[in-house]
């Protein structure tokens, strides 16, 4: 069993594990059952392979320990977190299941999900995402990309500023897409959707935030991330 989708990120994590600063990682959950009804997308659970992926990933990143693991309240994210924690603990390293964070789910959805699901069914998933990210979907249904990006960054910056240990956050593909496009300008049309357990790592260096995604790196001034986006 191979967790191939995480290798690119792992290569960068290994470069800065030796220093003492904490790392915040945000990843998509492990492999799930297919979503058969877009009106109930959060009901799909992890597959047996997804459980095994999570345990194996925990073993691979145990050198980050001690680590606190947070997750979206959606069950497949919770189960991914529990099994990553299990994998780390099996290497005799310390990992804490730190509980759920609502904003790791979908805080950017501000209108009725049934309306969004209807648009996706009519236009297609990829087309909807591009329309959303390009500002063509009503902000009464879903936050603009920059505002959605801000919700996710505040979680990670808070953890990096308050915790002395590293953190792992288990979330969904849309959350990774938001960060991937806003930080690195990487479009899903060009590189595809985030795989299971794919994600982004961040660490603070002086007054900047170093962001890593596979072979991509970008340094962002922290002061720019603390300004509410509607004032920029």
């Amino acid at each position: 069993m191979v967790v191939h989708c995480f290798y690119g990120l792992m290569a960068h994590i290994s470069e800065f594990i030796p220093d003492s600063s904490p790392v915040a990682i945000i990843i998509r959950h492990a492999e799930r059952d297919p979503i058969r009804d877009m009106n109930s997308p959060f009901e799909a659970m992890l597959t047996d392979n997804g459980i095994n992926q999570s345990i194996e990933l925990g073993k691979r990143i145990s050198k980050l320990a001690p680590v606190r693991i947070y997750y979206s309240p959606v069950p497949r994210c919770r189960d991914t977190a529990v099994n990553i924690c299990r994998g780390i603990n099996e290497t005799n390293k310390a990992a804490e299941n730190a509980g759920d964070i609502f904003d790791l789910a979908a805080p950017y959805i501000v209108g009725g999900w049934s309306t969004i699901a209807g648009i996706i069914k009519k236009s297609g998933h990829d087309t909807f995402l591009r329309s959303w990210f390009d500002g063509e979907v009503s902000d009464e249904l879903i936050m603009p990309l920059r505002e959605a990006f801000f919700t996710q960054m505040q979680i990670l910056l808070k953890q990096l500023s308050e915790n002395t240990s590293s953190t792992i956050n288990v979330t969904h593909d849309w959350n990774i897409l938001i960060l991937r496009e806003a930080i690195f300008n990487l479009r899903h049309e060009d590189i595809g959707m985030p795989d299971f357990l794919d994600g982004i790592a961040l660490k603070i260096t002086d007054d900047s935030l170093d962001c890593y995604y596979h072979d991509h790196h970008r340094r962002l001034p922290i002061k720019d991330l603390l300004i509410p986006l509607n004032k920029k």
Side-chain angles (χ1 to χ4, degrees), residues 38 106 108-145 148 173-175 177-178 181 187-189 193:
M38 279 302 295
Y108 38 81
I109 296 174
V110 294
W113 171 253
S114 61
T115 302
I116 294 174
I119 296 172
I120 294 172
K121 183 176 181 180
K122 182 178 180 179
S123 66
H125 183 252
D126 287 1
T127 299
F128 170 79
L129 289 173
R130 178 48 47 209
S131 296
W132 170 23
F133 289 173
D134 286 350
E136 298 170 358
V137 178
S138 170
D139 59 10
E140 294 183 356
L141 282 177
I142 198 163
M143 291 179 185
L145 174 62
D173 54 355
W174 282 16
N175 303 54
L177 283 165
I178 289 165
E181 180 147 340
R187 296 160 51 100
H188 64 277
E189 296 96 331
M193 295 292 290

Side-chain angles (χ1 to χ4, degrees), residues 2-225:
V2 178
V3 193
H4 68 279
C5 52
F6 210 71
Y7 287 168
L9 180 57
M10 284 301 300
H12 292 297
I13 290 175
S14 65
E15 293 174 5
F16 52 75
I17 283 175
D19 72 28
S20 58
S21 59
V23 178
I25 299 171
I26 183 166
I27 62 172
R28 187 186 180 193
H29 55 75
E31 183 182 275
R32 56 157 169 75
D33 291 322
I35 294 176
R36 305 190 186 282
D37 181 0
M38 279 302 295
N39 287 307
S40 305
F42 292 151
E43 293 182 1
M45 303 296 289
L46 292 188
T47 63
D48 289 343
N49 186 49
I51 293 171
N52 291 331
Q53 285 178 339
S54 305
I55 295 170
E56 179 65 18
L57 178 59
K59 293 177 181 178
R60 289 183 177 274
I61 62 176
S62 61
K63 63 176 68 178
L64 283 175
V67 64
R68 295 167 62 85
I69 306 176
Y70 300 90
Y71 50 88
S72 156
V74 176
R76 58 179 175 267
C77 294
R78 176 202 63 207
D79 293 347
T80 298
V82 166
N83 285 292
I84 290 174
C85 189
R86 173 183 168 186
I88 294 173
N89 292 155
E90 287 183 3
T91 67
N92 296 316
K93 298 292 182 64
E96 176 189 353
N97 185 332
D100 66 81
I101 297 176
F102 175 81
D103 281 359
L104 286 173
Y108 38 81
I109 296 174
V110 294
W113 171 253
S114 61
T115 302
I116 294 174
I119 296 172
I120 294 172
K121 183 176 181 180
K122 182 178 180 179
S123 66
H125 183 252
D126 287 1
T127 299
F128 170 79
L129 289 173
R130 178 48 47 209
S131 296
W132 170 23
F133 289 173
D134 286 350
E136 298 170 358
V137 178
S138 170
D139 59 10
E140 294 183 356
L141 282 177
I142 198 163
M143 291 179 185
L145 174 62
R146 284 175 60 78
E147 188 175 345
F149 165 70
F150 188 75
T151 68
Q152 300 305 291
M153 289 303 296
Q154 298 319 294
I155 297 170
L156 303 170
L157 283 171
K158 185 173 187 290
Q159 292 173 0
L160 287 168
S161 63
E162 294 182 355
N163 291 315
T164 56
S165 60
S166 293
T167 60
I168 298 171
N169 297 270
V170 184
T171 186
H172 304 271
D173 54 355
W174 282 16
N175 303 54
I176 303 301
L177 283 165
I178 289 165
L179 292 169
R180 205 172 64 173
E181 180 147 340
I183 297 172
F184 303 102
N185 197 29
L186 295 172
R187 296 160 51 100
H188 64 277
E189 296 96 331
D190 300 325
I191 64 172
M193 295 292 290
D195 206 342
F196 298 117
L197 295 178
D198 194 11
I200 295 167
L202 307 96
K203 62 171 278 192
I204 292 176
T205 304
D206 299 323
D207 296 325
S208 299
L209 186 67
D210 281 312
C211 307
Y212 298 86
Y213 178 75
H214 293 257
D215 295 328
H216 302 275
H217 168 248
R218 187 176 178 196
R219 177 168 288 184
L220 303 174
I222 291 176
K223 63 180 178 64
D224 291 347
L225 302 173

